Amino acid sequence: MESYTGQDILKFNDRILTNLADGDVATITYPNELHGMKNGKNGNSIAAHNEQGNMAELVIRVLKGSPDDKYLNSFVLAWKNHLDTFSPATAEFTKVISVDNSITNEITSLGFIVPTRSVDTKDNAEGDTEQAVSIYNFRAGTSARALS
């Protein structure tokens, strides 16, 4: 079996982000479990859905000062300044995968996205390229993954 990935697409509020940095330019993680489970007396098991398991963490790395940096920064500022115009974002990450010459799209959709941190910055005199990257951290209230 052969597998290849490339040409991934990252949308934030329907804007396709193109000013991406190096390394992991977008990461979606799930910090909570999908259920709670306990075992009771006589071997009885109890499970319940944990809606917190639908929350996702999104990290996006863009080039500092780029149009995408300015766009994401304006979203964070709208949240921080309690602007009436603020509305939680949506995002869609499409990973294009070729397995044995057949294309599959892994589509992760996130909703009700709000910022979780401000963007860090630094000055480095030894050639650290991280000083040219803006790292945005968000939390999404809803998430879904599909393969097509």
Side-chain angles (χ1 to χ4, degrees):
M1 181 175 285
E2 296 176 3
S3 179
Y4 168 78
T5 183
Q7 303 302 317
D8 299 338
I9 302 165
L10 178 59
K11 291 182 186 176
F12 194 91
N13 274 343
D14 291 325
R15 177 190 175 104
I16 297 176
L17 301 179
T18 59
N19 306 130
L20 302 171
D22 60 339
D24 292 335
V25 297
T27 306
I28 299 171
T29 57
Y30 298 90
N32 302 308
E33 295 185 0
L34 291 172
H35 71 278
M37 181 180 280
K38 289 191 174 189
N39 287 332
K41 190 171 180 155
N42 298 324
N44 295 321
S45 295
I46 304 166
H49 285 275
N50 177 12
E51 293 302 322
Q52 302 302 311
N54 291 319
M55 290 191 332
E57 304 285 338
L58 171 63
V59 178
I60 301 173
R61 295 168 41 90
V62 298
L63 299 175
K64 196 172 285 293
S66 68
D68 287 342
D69 188 18
K70 293 174 183 176
Y71 175 78
L72 293 171
N73 189 62
S74 68
F75 176 77
V76 172
L77 288 177
W79 169 257
K80 288 176 67 174
N81 294 327
H82 306 280
L83 296 182
D84 293 339
T85 57
F86 178 83
S87 179
T90 60
E92 185 176 273
F93 178 48
T94 302
K95 176 160 272 311
V96 181
I97 308 159
S98 174
V99 178
D100 291 336
N101 298 318
S102 176
I103 301 294
T104 298
N105 291 323
E106 175 193 50
I107 303 166
T108 304
S109 300
L110 304 176
F112 201 82
I113 297 171
V114 295
T116 57
R117 297 184 53 194
S118 293
V119 173
D120 296 333
T121 192
K122 68 177 173 178
D123 185 11
N124 179 282
E126 296 181 354
D128 184 358
T129 58
E130 286 295 303
Q131 63 188 324
V133 177
S134 292
I135 302 172
Y136 288 89
N137 293 269
F138 302 102
R139 182 168 296 127
T142 62
S143 62
R145 178 179 180 256
L147 297 172
S148 65

